[in-house]
């Protein structure tokens, strides 16, 4: 699924971004999660 690929990419990018770009990426990430609300999703945890 293309959405899952985009989610994975955002999961990798968000910790490296700062400022407005990071907020936009988080907003996009949340929108993609909302589209998949009926699908099980496994998120990567960052340390």
């Amino acid at each position: 699924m293309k959405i899952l690929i985009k989610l994975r990419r955002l999961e990798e990018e968000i910790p490296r971004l700062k400022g407005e770009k990071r907020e936009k990426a988080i907003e996009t990430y949340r929108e993609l999660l909302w589209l998949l609300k009926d699908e099980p999703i496994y998120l990567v945890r960052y340390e």
Side-chain angles (χ1 to χ4, degrees), residues 24-39:
K24 181 64 176 166
I26 290 171
E27 181 181 324
T28 302
Y29 186 79
R30 288 180 180 151
E31 289 174 5
L32 290 172
L33 285 177
W34 182 253
L35 292 174
L36 295 172
K37 65 183 180 182
D38 296 330
E39 306 261 337

Side-chain angles (χ1 to χ4, degrees), residues 1-29:
M1 247 180 152
K2 290 183 181 183
I3 293 176
L4 293 177
I5 293 169
K6 289 180 182 181
L7 280 173
R8 176 76 64 191
R9 190 174 306 146
L10 283 171
E11 287 174 359
E12 294 172 359
E13 286 183 28
I14 288 173
R16 292 181 282 185
L17 296 174
K18 294 185 181 187
E20 192 173 315
K21 287 185 179 183
R22 181 180 180 137
E23 292 194 23
K24 181 64 176 166
I26 290 171
E27 181 181 324
T28 302
Y29 186 79

